[in-house]
Every structure is written in structure tokens, then in C-alpha cells.
Amino acid sequence: EADIYQTPRYLVIGTGKKITLECSQTMGHDKMYWYQQDPGMELHLIHYSYGVNSTEKGDLSSESTVSRIRTEHFPLTLESARPSHTSQYLCASSEFGRGSSNEQFFGPGTRLTVL
Amino acid sequence: AQTVTQSQPEMSVQEAETVTLSCTYDTSESDYYLFWYKQPPSRQMILVIRQEAYKQQNATENRFSVNFQKAAKSFSLKISDSQLGDAAMYFCAYRRGGGADGLTFGKGTHLIIQP
């Protein structure tokens, strides 16, 4: 079954640690996205990718970085976690092209808490 | 830059009744898409309904329908015969047509279903 996966689902970590949030999709979608959802539930785009070796910054400035070495995989890394990074991170993917549905499919999210 | 405004932080409706969630947006683009996404508590974000800006006909999906007023830049969601499973955060979202841009979300409306 085609789907989009995120691991871990929950992460509690101390300040200064390096973390990587994983996102994988089995739908063969070219476009992938990372959104940050703050405790007030507001969602902001922080990174996106058109395809392999393509990464772009989103609307909200973020200290995180992303990579896209394989179509199905779009990990997000924080080199040094801080309490201000505490949030839920949602990964999404969609088809690319004017004939596509433009629907974005979302993963279950990673809830990150930095102490 | 485009913006999406949801003016109702919370709405409550009796089971089996009809409720309308409001959304307005601002854009200078002529080619765009509008979406309503549903995020149940601790569960995955899913698409409820989609509207292409070039289509005059309002989209419908079973009990869900939209009232798309392009000139007024309004995109409301009507839920008929409300069910307990409809309880969730509802997000209105905008996406520019033709590109790989991510979604611009409103702040969300928390929908409560009263049994």
C-alpha cells in the first residue's frame, strides 16, 4: 500500500544534541515537503524539494537542513537542538506536473520536545 | 505573498446538523488551488476537498461541499449531517498553480461535534 512514513513519532532530547527526522514515501512522488506545526496548531512550510538533489527553503526560516539523495527519502536534520525547536514536524509529498491532482499526502508527524 | 485567514478558532455543532467553516484568502495569482484538510486529534492530516480556481462549479465530496466565491476570495466549507467522526481541526490551504510550492495554511478551526 502506497503511503508516507515518519520516524520517530515522538522524540524527547536534550539541548545541543544532533537529531535527524526521517521521512519516506512509497508513492514515487517527485515533490516532498516539511512543515512545522507549532503548539497553537499553525502550520508553516520550512523546506521543500522538486526531486533528487533539489532542496529549497520554505516560508518560515528554520535552522534545520534537509537532503534528497533518493526520490523516496527526505530527512530533516537539526545539528544542535534547542528548546525553541520543540514542535510537531509534518512531512508531505505530491505529484509534479500540471496534470497532477496537486493533493499533498501527509505523514503522521514527529512530535519533538527539546529539554 | 498569499495569505489565508480562518476567522473561527472554534465551532460547535449538534450531531446531524449542518455547519459552515469560513476561509478567506488573498492572492494576486489567477492560477491556484484551494483545499480543506482535516487533522483529527493525534492522527494524520487528510484532504477533505479541493477546488481549482479556474472551475466555477463548487466542489462536493459526499457530505462536504464548498462555496467558492472567487471575486470575494472566499472559500467556505459546509459539512452536512455532522457526525462524531467529523470532530477535528480543519485547515484551509492555498497553493499556487504550476509550481512545486508548498501549501499556505490558515490557522485552523477546531470543530466540536455535540452528541
Side-chain angles (χ1 to χ4, degrees), chain A residues 79-107:
Chain A
E79 290 292 334
S80 179
R82 296 206 304 267
S84 62
H85 297 138
T86 294
S87 193
Q88 172 152 254
Y89 293 84
L90 298 179
C91 181
S93 71
S94 70
E95 294 177 321
F96 192 18
R98 295 198 67 83
S100 70
S101 68
N102 280 282
E103 176 182 355
Q104 289 192 14
F105 295 84
F106 283 82

PDB file of all heavy atoms in Angstrom, chain A residues 79-107:
ATOM      1  N   GLU A  79      21.319  20.224  13.690  1.00  0.00           N
ATOM      2  CA  GLU A  79      22.681  19.966  14.164  1.00  0.00           C
ATOM      3  C   GLU A  79      22.808  20.127  15.668  1.00  0.00           C
ATOM      4  O   GLU A  79      23.557  19.402  16.321  1.00  0.00           O
ATOM      5  CB  GLU A  79      23.653  20.916  13.460  1.00  0.00           C
ATOM      6  CG  GLU A  79      23.851  20.613  11.981  1.00  0.00           C
ATOM      7  CD  GLU A  79      24.586  19.300  11.739  1.00  0.00           C
ATOM      8  OE1 GLU A  79      25.367  18.867  12.622  1.00  0.00           O
ATOM      9  OE2 GLU A  79      24.356  18.676  10.680  1.00  0.00           O
ATOM     10  N   SER A  80      22.051  21.078  16.231  1.00  0.00           N
ATOM     11  CA  SER A  80      22.133  21.336  17.664  1.00  0.00           C
ATOM     12  C   SER A  80      20.752  21.765  18.141  1.00  0.00           C
ATOM     13  O   SER A  80      20.356  22.916  17.981  1.00  0.00           O
ATOM     14  CB  SER A  80      23.168  22.425  17.944  1.00  0.00           C
ATOM     15  OG  SER A  80      23.250  22.695  19.322  1.00  0.00           O
ATOM     16  N   ALA A  81      20.024  20.810  18.719  1.00  0.00           N
ATOM     17  CA  ALA A  81      18.638  21.075  19.103  1.00  0.00           C
ATOM     18  C   ALA A  81      18.552  22.067  20.261  1.00  0.00           C
ATOM     19  O   ALA A  81      19.401  22.055  21.179  1.00  0.00           O
ATOM     20  CB  ALA A  81      17.955  19.769  19.479  1.00  0.00           C
ATOM     21  N   ARG A  82      17.541  22.919  20.204  1.00  0.00           N
ATOM     22  CA  ARG A  82      17.265  23.895  21.261  1.00  0.00           C
ATOM     23  C   ARG A  82      15.799  23.834  21.649  1.00  0.00           C
ATOM     24  O   ARG A  82      14.961  23.373  20.852  1.00  0.00           O
ATOM     25  CB  ARG A  82      17.595  25.305  20.784  1.00  0.00           C
ATOM     26  CG  ARG A  82      19.054  25.548  20.464  1.00  0.00           C
ATOM     27  CD  ARG A  82      19.377  27.027  20.642  1.00  0.00           C
ATOM     28  NE  ARG A  82      18.511  27.875  19.844  1.00  0.00           N
ATOM     29  CZ  ARG A  82      18.812  28.298  18.638  1.00  0.00           C
ATOM     30  NH1 ARG A  82      19.951  27.917  18.085  1.00  0.00           N
ATOM     31  NH2 ARG A  82      18.008  29.074  17.978  1.00  0.00           N
ATOM     32  N   PRO A  83      15.437  24.295  22.860  1.00  0.00           N
ATOM     33  CA  PRO A  83      14.020  24.278  23.269  1.00  0.00           C
ATOM     34  C   PRO A  83      13.096  24.977  22.274  1.00  0.00           C
ATOM     35  O   PRO A  83      11.943  24.571  22.126  1.00  0.00           O
ATOM     36  CB  PRO A  83      14.047  24.989  24.629  1.00  0.00           C
ATOM     37  CG  PRO A  83      15.403  24.670  25.177  1.00  0.00           C
ATOM     38  CD  PRO A  83      16.322  24.679  23.981  1.00  0.00           C
ATOM     39  N   SER A  84      13.598  25.987  21.559  1.00  0.00           N
ATOM     40  CA  SER A  84      12.753  26.676  20.574  1.00  0.00           C
ATOM     41  C   SER A  84      12.393  25.786  19.389  1.00  0.00           C
ATOM     42  O   SER A  84      11.501  26.127  18.607  1.00  0.00           O
ATOM     43  CB  SER A  84      13.459  27.940  20.072  1.00  0.00           C
ATOM     44  OG  SER A  84      14.680  27.598  19.426  1.00  0.00           O
ATOM     45  N   HIS A  85      13.076  24.648  19.252  1.00  0.00           N
ATOM     46  CA  HIS A  85      12.755  23.704  18.167  1.00  0.00           C
ATOM     47  C   HIS A  85      11.622  22.752  18.535  1.00  0.00           C
ATOM     48  O   HIS A  85      11.182  21.960  17.705  1.00  0.00           O
ATOM     49  CB  HIS A  85      13.994  22.882  17.789  1.00  0.00           C
ATOM     50  CG  HIS A  85      15.111  23.711  17.238  1.00  0.00           C
ATOM     51  ND1 HIS A  85      16.437  23.497  17.590  1.00  0.00           N
ATOM     52  CD2 HIS A  85      15.113  24.742  16.365  1.00  0.00           C
ATOM     53  CE1 HIS A  85      17.198  24.374  16.954  1.00  0.00           C
ATOM     54  NE2 HIS A  85      16.428  25.138  16.211  1.00  0.00           N
ATOM     55  N   THR A  86      11.165  22.831  19.769  1.00  0.00           N
ATOM     56  CA  THR A  86      10.049  21.989  20.201  1.00  0.00           C
ATOM     57  C   THR A  86       8.826  22.287  19.353  1.00  0.00           C
ATOM     58  O   THR A  86       8.349  23.420  19.290  1.00  0.00           O
ATOM     59  CB  THR A  86       9.734  22.230  21.687  1.00  0.00           C
ATOM     60  OG1 THR A  86      10.844  21.773  22.464  1.00  0.00           O
ATOM     61  CG2 THR A  86       8.475  21.485  22.102  1.00  0.00           C
ATOM     62  N   SER A  87       8.321  21.255  18.653  1.00  0.00           N
ATOM     63  CA  SER A  87       7.225  21.442  17.713  1.00  0.00           C
ATOM     64  C   SER A  87       6.840  20.080  17.146  1.00  0.00           C
ATOM     65  O   SER A  87       7.487  19.073  17.429  1.00  0.00           O
ATOM     66  CB  SER A  87       7.674  22.368  16.581  1.00  0.00           C
ATOM     67  OG  SER A  87       6.564  22.808  15.822  1.00  0.00           O
ATOM     68  N   GLN A  88       5.790  20.069  16.333  1.00  0.00           N
ATOM     69  CA  GLN A  88       5.490  18.880  15.545  1.00  0.00           C
ATOM     70  C   GLN A  88       5.955  19.154  14.116  1.00  0.00           C
ATOM     71  O   GLN A  88       5.732  20.242  13.578  1.00  0.00           O
ATOM     72  CB  GLN A  88       4.004  18.541  15.561  1.00  0.00           C
ATOM     73  CG  GLN A  88       3.643  17.407  14.592  1.00  0.00           C
ATOM     74  CD  GLN A  88       2.438  16.607  14.990  1.00  0.00           C
ATOM     75  OE1 GLN A  88       2.543  15.463  15.444  1.00  0.00           O
ATOM     76  NE2 GLN A  88       1.270  17.201  14.822  1.00  0.00           N
ATOM     77  N   TYR A  89       6.604  18.145  13.528  1.00  0.00           N
ATOM     78  CA  TYR A  89       7.123  18.270  12.167  1.00  0.00           C
ATOM     79  C   TYR A  89       6.371  17.289  11.267  1.00  0.00           C
ATOM     80  O   TYR A  89       6.353  16.086  11.506  1.00  0.00           O
ATOM     81  CB  TYR A  89       8.628  17.998  12.145  1.00  0.00           C
ATOM     82  CG  TYR A  89       9.410  19.065  12.885  1.00  0.00           C
ATOM     83  CD1 TYR A  89       9.573  19.001  14.269  1.00  0.00           C
ATOM     84  CD2 TYR A  89       9.950  20.156  12.212  1.00  0.00           C
ATOM     85  CE1 TYR A  89      10.254  19.991  14.950  1.00  0.00           C
ATOM     86  CE2 TYR A  89      10.640  21.155  12.891  1.00  0.00           C
ATOM     87  CZ  TYR A  89      10.777  21.057  14.259  1.00  0.00           C
ATOM     88  OH  TYR A  89      11.458  22.044  14.939  1.00  0.00           O
ATOM     89  N   LEU A  90       5.753  17.836  10.218  1.00  0.00           N
ATOM     90  CA  LEU A  90       4.971  17.028   9.286  1.00  0.00           C
ATOM     91  C   LEU A  90       5.667  16.978   7.936  1.00  0.00           C
ATOM     92  O   LEU A  90       6.076  18.002   7.396  1.00  0.00           O
ATOM     93  CB  LEU A  90       3.573  17.623   9.096  1.00  0.00           C
ATOM     94  CG  LEU A  90       2.661  17.709  10.317  1.00  0.00           C
ATOM     95  CD1 LEU A  90       1.342  18.343   9.937  1.00  0.00           C
ATOM     96  CD2 LEU A  90       2.437  16.345  10.918  1.00  0.00           C
ATOM     97  N   CYS A  91       5.781  15.790   7.403  1.00  0.00           N
ATOM     98  CA  CYS A  91       6.337  15.574   6.073  1.00  0.00           C
ATOM     99  C   CYS A  91       5.176  15.316   5.107  1.00  0.00           C
ATOM    100  O   CYS A  91       4.164  14.712   5.499  1.00  0.00           O
ATOM    101  CB  CYS A  91       7.291  14.381   6.102  1.00  0.00           C
ATOM    102  SG  CYS A  91       8.087  14.007   4.533  1.00  0.00           S
ATOM    103  N   ALA A  92       5.320  15.761   3.869  1.00  0.00           N
ATOM    104  CA  ALA A  92       4.269  15.552   2.867  1.00  0.00           C
ATOM    105  C   ALA A  92       4.897  15.325   1.506  1.00  0.00           C
ATOM    106  O   ALA A  92       6.060  15.666   1.276  1.00  0.00           O
ATOM    107  CB  ALA A  92       3.319  16.751   2.820  1.00  0.00           C
ATOM    108  N   SER A  93       4.120  14.750   0.602  1.00  0.00           N
ATOM    109  CA  SER A  93       4.606  14.554  -0.767  1.00  0.00           C
ATOM    110  C   SER A  93       3.451  14.756  -1.748  1.00  0.00           C
ATOM    111  O   SER A  93       2.272  14.648  -1.371  1.00  0.00           O
ATOM    112  CB  SER A  93       5.209  13.158  -0.946  1.00  0.00           C
ATOM    113  OG  SER A  93       4.208  12.155  -0.936  1.00  0.00           O
ATOM    114  N   SER A  94       3.798  15.055  -2.998  1.00  0.00           N
ATOM    115  CA  SER A  94       2.776  15.183  -4.039  1.00  0.00           C
ATOM    116  C   SER A  94       3.394  14.926  -5.400  1.00  0.00           C
ATOM    117  O   SER A  94       4.616  14.937  -5.568  1.00  0.00           O
ATOM    118  CB  SER A  94       2.129  16.568  -4.005  1.00  0.00           C
ATOM    119  OG  SER A  94       3.035  17.558  -4.441  1.00  0.00           O
ATOM    120  N   GLU A  95       2.530  14.702  -6.370  1.00  0.00           N
ATOM    121  CA  GLU A  95       2.980  14.545  -7.749  1.00  0.00           C
ATOM    122  C   GLU A  95       3.435  15.893  -8.281  1.00  0.00           C
ATOM    123  O   GLU A  95       3.102  16.943  -7.731  1.00  0.00           O
ATOM    124  CB  GLU A  95       1.835  14.020  -8.608  1.00  0.00           C
ATOM    125  CG  GLU A  95       1.402  12.609  -8.257  1.00  0.00           C
ATOM    126  CD  GLU A  95       0.220  12.170  -9.098  1.00  0.00           C
ATOM    127  OE1 GLU A  95      -0.668  13.005  -9.346  1.00  0.00           O
ATOM    128  OE2 GLU A  95       0.199  10.993  -9.506  1.00  0.00           O
ATOM    129  N   PHE A  96       4.179  15.869  -9.384  1.00  0.00           N
ATOM    130  CA  PHE A  96       4.676  17.077 -10.016  1.00  0.00           C
ATOM    131  C   PHE A  96       4.169  17.134 -11.440  1.00  0.00           C
ATOM    132  O   PHE A  96       4.333  16.189 -12.189  1.00  0.00           O
ATOM    133  CB  PHE A  96       6.206  17.092 -10.001  1.00  0.00           C
ATOM    134  CG  PHE A  96       6.815  18.418 -10.366  1.00  0.00           C
ATOM    135  CD1 PHE A  96       6.086  19.589 -10.327  1.00  0.00           C
ATOM    136  CD2 PHE A  96       8.156  18.494 -10.713  1.00  0.00           C
ATOM    137  CE1 PHE A  96       6.662  20.814 -10.632  1.00  0.00           C
ATOM    138  CE2 PHE A  96       8.750  19.708 -11.011  1.00  0.00           C
ATOM    139  CZ  PHE A  96       8.011  20.861 -10.965  1.00  0.00           C
ATOM    140  N   GLY A  97       3.500  18.234 -11.811  1.00  0.00           N
ATOM    141  CA  GLY A  97       3.014  18.364 -13.169  1.00  0.00           C
ATOM    142  C   GLY A  97       1.627  18.961 -13.195  1.00  0.00           C
ATOM    143  O   GLY A  97       0.847  18.799 -12.253  1.00  0.00           O
ATOM    144  N   ARG A  98       1.301  19.674 -14.247  1.00  0.00           N
ATOM    145  CA  ARG A  98       0.020  20.366 -14.323  1.00  0.00           C
ATOM    146  C   ARG A  98      -1.133  19.383 -14.382  1.00  0.00           C
ATOM    147  O   ARG A  98      -2.246  19.716 -14.012  1.00  0.00           O
ATOM    148  CB  ARG A  98      -0.006  21.275 -15.545  1.00  0.00           C
ATOM    149  CG  ARG A  98       0.983  22.420 -15.487  1.00  0.00           C
ATOM    150  CD  ARG A  98       0.627  23.500 -16.474  1.00  0.00           C
ATOM    151  NE  ARG A  98      -0.619  24.161 -16.122  1.00  0.00           N
ATOM    152  CZ  ARG A  98      -0.710  25.149 -15.246  1.00  0.00           C
ATOM    153  NH1 ARG A  98       0.360  25.563 -14.606  1.00  0.00           N
ATOM    154  NH2 ARG A  98      -1.866  25.715 -14.998  1.00  0.00           N
ATOM    155  N   GLY A  99      -0.875  18.148 -14.821  1.00  0.00           N
ATOM    156  CA  GLY A  99      -1.945  17.159 -14.883  1.00  0.00           C
ATOM    157  C   GLY A  99      -2.166  16.436 -13.575  1.00  0.00           C
ATOM    158  O   GLY A  99      -3.066  15.607 -13.468  1.00  0.00           O
ATOM    159  N   SER A 100      -1.347  16.768 -12.584  1.00  0.00           N
ATOM    160  CA  SER A 100      -1.474  16.050 -11.317  1.00  0.00           C
ATOM    161  C   SER A 100      -2.620  16.626 -10.493  1.00  0.00           C
ATOM    162  O   SER A 100      -3.124  17.703 -10.764  1.00  0.00           O
ATOM    163  CB  SER A 100      -0.164  16.150 -10.528  1.00  0.00           C
ATOM    164  OG  SER A 100       0.026  17.473 -10.068  1.00  0.00           O
ATOM    165  N   SER A 101      -2.995  15.899  -9.460  1.00  0.00           N
ATOM    166  CA  SER A 101      -4.112  16.310  -8.620  1.00  0.00           C
ATOM    167  C   SER A 101      -3.726  17.450  -7.683  1.00  0.00           C
ATOM    168  O   SER A 101      -4.581  18.082  -7.097  1.00  0.00           O
ATOM    169  CB  SER A 101      -4.604  15.128  -7.794  1.00  0.00           C
ATOM    170  OG  SER A 101      -3.620  14.767  -6.842  1.00  0.00           O
ATOM    171  N   ASN A 102      -2.429  17.682  -7.514  1.00  0.00           N
ATOM    172  CA  ASN A 102      -1.932  18.695  -6.590  1.00  0.00           C
ATOM    173  C   ASN A 102      -2.227  18.390  -5.131  1.00  0.00           C
ATOM    174  O   ASN A 102      -1.969  19.225  -4.273  1.00  0.00           O
ATOM    175  CB  ASN A 102      -2.485  20.084  -6.929  1.00  0.00           C
ATOM    176  CG  ASN A 102      -1.734  20.721  -8.073  1.00  0.00           C
ATOM    177  OD1 ASN A 102      -0.640  21.229  -7.875  1.00  0.00           O
ATOM    178  ND2 ASN A 102      -2.286  20.674  -9.252  1.00  0.00           N
ATOM    179  N   GLU A 103      -2.780  17.226  -4.858  1.00  0.00           N
ATOM    180  CA  GLU A 103      -3.031  16.869  -3.459  1.00  0.00           C
ATOM    181  C   GLU A 103      -1.718  16.532  -2.790  1.00  0.00           C
ATOM    182  O   GLU A 103      -0.884  15.813  -3.350  1.00  0.00           O
ATOM    183  CB  GLU A 103      -3.960  15.663  -3.377  1.00  0.00           C
ATOM    184  CG  GLU A 103      -4.188  15.173  -1.954  1.00  0.00           C
ATOM    185  CD  GLU A 103      -5.063  13.942  -1.897  1.00  0.00           C
ATOM    186  OE1 GLU A 103      -5.566  13.532  -2.961  1.00  0.00           O
ATOM    187  OE2 GLU A 103      -5.239  13.398  -0.795  1.00  0.00           O
ATOM    188  N   GLN A 104      -1.528  17.036  -1.587  1.00  0.00           N
ATOM    189  CA  GLN A 104      -0.381  16.656  -0.774  1.00  0.00           C
ATOM    190  C   GLN A 104      -0.817  15.587   0.221  1.00  0.00           C
ATOM    191  O   GLN A 104      -1.849  15.734   0.881  1.00  0.00           O
ATOM    192  CB  GLN A 104       0.194  17.867  -0.044  1.00  0.00           C
ATOM    193  CG  GLN A 104       0.899  18.829  -0.981  1.00  0.00           C
ATOM    194  CD  GLN A 104       1.714  19.884  -0.264  1.00  0.00           C
ATOM    195  OE1 GLN A 104       1.996  19.790   0.925  1.00  0.00           O
ATOM    196  NE2 GLN A 104       2.108  20.911  -1.000  1.00  0.00           N
ATOM    197  N   PHE A 105      -0.015  14.537   0.308  1.00  0.00           N
ATOM    198  CA  PHE A 105      -0.257  13.453   1.247  1.00  0.00           C
ATOM    199  C   PHE A 105       0.683  13.637   2.433  1.00  0.00           C
ATOM    200  O   PHE A 105       1.888  13.802   2.245  1.00  0.00           O
ATOM    201  CB  PHE A 105      -0.011  12.099   0.578  1.00  0.00           C
ATOM    202  CG  PHE A 105      -0.968  11.809  -0.540  1.00  0.00           C
ATOM    203  CD1 PHE A 105      -0.729  12.294  -1.813  1.00  0.00           C
ATOM    204  CD2 PHE A 105      -2.114  11.063  -0.316  1.00  0.00           C
ATOM    205  CE1 PHE A 105      -1.606  12.039  -2.860  1.00  0.00           C
ATOM    206  CE2 PHE A 105      -2.994  10.798  -1.355  1.00  0.00           C
ATOM    207  CZ  PHE A 105      -2.744  11.289  -2.620  1.00  0.00           C
ATOM    208  N   PHE A 106       0.117  13.565   3.629  1.00  0.00           N
ATOM    209  CA  PHE A 106       0.892  13.864   4.823  1.00  0.00           C
ATOM    210  C   PHE A 106       1.257  12.605   5.593  1.00  0.00           C
ATOM    211  O   PHE A 106       0.475  11.648   5.663  1.00  0.00           O
ATOM    212  CB  PHE A 106       0.100  14.790   5.746  1.00  0.00           C
ATOM    213  CG  PHE A 106       0.092  16.216   5.285  1.00  0.00           C
ATOM    214  CD1 PHE A 106      -0.791  16.641   4.311  1.00  0.00           C
ATOM    215  CD2 PHE A 106       0.987  17.133   5.814  1.00  0.00           C
ATOM    216  CE1 PHE A 106      -0.791  17.959   3.869  1.00  0.00           C
ATOM    217  CE2 PHE A 106       0.999  18.446   5.378  1.00  0.00           C
ATOM    218  CZ  PHE A 106       0.119  18.866   4.404  1.00  0.00           C
ATOM    219  N   GLY A 107       2.432  12.647   6.214  1.00  0.00           N
ATOM    220  CA  GLY A 107       2.818  11.612   7.148  1.00  0.00           C
ATOM    221  C   GLY A 107       2.182  11.860   8.509  1.00  0.00           C
ATOM    222  O   GLY A 107       1.532  12.886   8.722  1.00  0.00           O
TER     223      GLY A 107
END
